[in-house]
Amino acid sequence: MNMIAGEKPALIWALRLSVVLLVGLWLFPTLGLLVSSFRTSDQIATSGWWRAMFPSEQNLTLRTDPPSTQMQEGDLYVIEGRLFAEGTSSEISAWGTSAREPAAYEPGTSAELRRGGTLTVAADGTYRLESAEEISGKRGPRVFVTATVPPEFTLENYETVLISGNSTDNMAKAFFNTLTVTIPATIIPILVAAFAAYALAWMEFPGRALLVAAIVGLLVVPLQLALIPLLKFHNEIGIGKGYIGVWMAHTGFGLPLAIYLLRNYMVGIPRDIIENARVDGATDFMIFVRIILPLSFPALASFAIFQFLWTWNDLLVAMVFLIDATGETTVMTKQIVELLGTRGGNWEILATSAFVSIAVPLAVFFAMQKYLVRGLLAGSVK
């Protein structure tokens, strides 16, 4: 009798477990992308991201030093060196001279090469290549090793994706194209919706209730239903495909939710504040700018988060209203889709590109998340 529903231990634990599960479902893939974006392709291929901090066994294809470094010792021509870079602590467990038998020999044993000569490889990667005849060629023979390699993290993936990559890998242009689309497509509907929401909340005019009902009805109109007719309309008025077209499209698709959200928030502002301002001689524009907008900041921020995330992650609207054959206006979502086709096996590039694409939305969300709940609950409690 003393317990109410919200204080039952079973419900409390169920709620906590549900929250932990939801956080885990979101956090682990994001953390995996972040860790994988700093790993090399060999490490990604041999172990999961959760083992990134531990040594991993990899099959590597290495080469000895080129014949130009050979030294003559008596009747023998010798090349000595180390297969791994200086400073690394890799350990070889098996090695071979052929891709068909990459683990034919144990460390410390010698093997005859097909082109002549004897190669000896130690566990730490040091080797000695001997030949009775002068070794020719431009490159040293290949050595296939199975080695335990320490964890390695690199920034080369980000350098490739953001700076030095080719037209397929480089995401810098697509990043700025996405910003060019997202920022105006977030600001324009907020400006329009704020004025409309104030009018629908605090200004008396015929048909106001019908307009509110129409806006609620537009919330359920499928986006796909309006794409082609809207594109034809854009072509008729001369906008066509371009930034103006995609800004207008995102504004149109986002306005119903924005007006609905902001109107519900503004109508909850105490009437006494509005009436006192009118008694003091304030016009509707002064009330809107000096009173309504500052008090509505949580709702504005809440919608800004939704609109920014929707526009940033959009592919469908960008494909219809923006992207053309030249590729000059390609956004990040389209660039990642192309990467899946051209670099589908390069997980280090894909993981880095994916994390770059979610980094900005994450920053926006964490910067404004404190207003999200307040904005979503607007109008729900009187």
Side-chain angles (χ1 to χ4, degrees):
M1 293 294 292
N2 294 329
M3 289 186 177
I4 61 176
E7 295 177 339
K8 290 182 178 179
L11 294 178
I12 293 176
W13 278 106
L15 176 63
R16 290 174 179 174
L17 289 176
S18 300
V19 172
V20 171
L21 179 62
L22 291 175
V23 171
L25 288 175
W26 180 87
L27 186 61
F28 280 103
T30 306
L31 184 61
L33 279 180
L34 176 62
V35 174
S36 298
S37 67
F38 291 102
R39 304 184 74 197
T40 63
S41 58
D42 291 331
Q43 289 186 324
I44 292 177
T46 54
S47 63
W49 64 268
W50 54 90
R51 293 184 54 82
M53 299 300 294
F54 303 98
S56 60
E57 188 176 78
Q58 300 179 18
N59 294 320
L60 305 174
T61 302
L62 307 172
R63 286 186 180 274
T64 66
D65 290 329
S68 59
T69 61
Q70 62 185 308
M71 304 289 291
Q72 186 171 9
E73 297 180 0
D75 296 334
L76 297 176
Y77 292 91
V78 178
I79 299 177
E80 290 183 323
R82 191 165 186 264
L83 294 173
F84 302 111
E86 293 295 332
T88 58
S89 57
S90 303
E91 182 176 355
I92 296 175
S93 58
W95 66 280
T97 57
S98 170
R100 296 180 179 178
E101 296 179 328
Y105 307 101
E106 295 181 354
T109 58
S110 299
E112 297 292 334
L113 300 179
R114 288 187 302 172
R115 295 183 178 180
T118 303
L119 177 64
T120 305
V121 178
D124 61 354
T126 56
Y127 66 88
R128 179 181 174 87
L129 174 59
E130 299 177 346
S131 177
E133 299 179 356
E134 184 177 359
I135 303 171
S136 60
K138 295 182 179 179
R139 298 189 297 178
R142 291 190 300 176
V143 183
F144 302 89
V145 303
T146 302
T148 302
V149 180
E152 179 184 0
F153 297 97
T154 178
L155 293 175
E156 291 182 0
N157 299 333
Y158 284 93
E159 182 182 356
T160 301
V161 169
L162 297 177
I163 301 175
S164 63
N166 55 34
S167 58
T168 304
D169 298 336
N170 198 311
M171 301 283 290
K173 188 173 184 179
F175 181 84
F176 289 107
N177 287 341
T178 307
L179 281 179
T180 305
V181 172
T182 304
I183 293 176
T186 303
I187 295 176
I188 294 173
I190 289 179
L191 290 177
V192 177
F195 282 102
Y198 173 76
L200 292 173
W202 292 107
M203 296 178 70
E204 297 290 341
F205 56 89
R208 187 178 68 167
L210 292 177
L211 280 177
V212 174
I215 290 171
V216 173
L218 288 174
L219 289 173
V220 299
V221 174
L223 168 68
Q224 297 79 0
L225 191 67
L227 287 178
I228 301 305
L230 193 57
L231 179 61
K232 290 182 178 179
F233 175 71
H234 282 192
N235 290 331
E236 290 177 358
I237 64 176
I239 296 178
K241 282 193 171 185
Y243 287 117
I244 296 179
V246 77
W247 293 339
M248 294 300 102
H250 280 301
T251 299
F253 294 133
L255 270 180
L257 176 63
I259 296 174
Y260 178 76
L261 190 66
L262 295 178
R263 185 260 178 195
N264 282 354
Y265 190 91
M266 291 178 184
V267 82
I269 295 175
R271 179 177 294 273
D272 293 343
I273 298 176
I274 309 298
E275 292 180 347
N276 288 337
R278 285 175 176 163
V279 169
D280 293 338
T283 63
D284 281 319
F285 183 77
M286 294 171 64
I287 295 173
F288 173 74
V289 174
R290 298 182 180 179
I291 298 177
I292 299 296
L293 281 185
L295 293 177
S296 302
F297 186 77
L300 295 171
S302 177
F303 173 74
I305 293 173
F306 278 118
Q307 182 70 2
F308 188 93
L309 296 181
W310 150 249
T311 310
W312 183 274
N313 295 318
D314 168 69
L315 175 63
L316 180 60
V317 176
M319 291 284 287
V320 175
F321 293 95
L322 180 63
I323 298 172
D324 53 22
T326 63
E328 293 295 320
T329 55
T330 298
V331 294
M332 295 191 70
T333 48
K334 179 65 166 56
Q335 186 88 4
I336 292 176
V337 170
E338 293 178 352
L339 281 176
L340 287 173
T342 58
R343 303 294 295 271
N346 298 101
W347 287 101
E348 75 283 4
I349 299 298
L350 292 175
T352 307
S353 302
F355 192 79
V356 168
S357 72
I358 68 173
V360 174
L362 285 178
V364 171
F365 177 79
F366 285 119
M368 305 180 72
Q369 58 87 24
K370 64 181 179 181
Y371 302 108
L372 181 61
V373 175
R374 293 170 59 186
L376 290 178
L377 294 178
S380 62
V381 179
K382 298 292 184 182

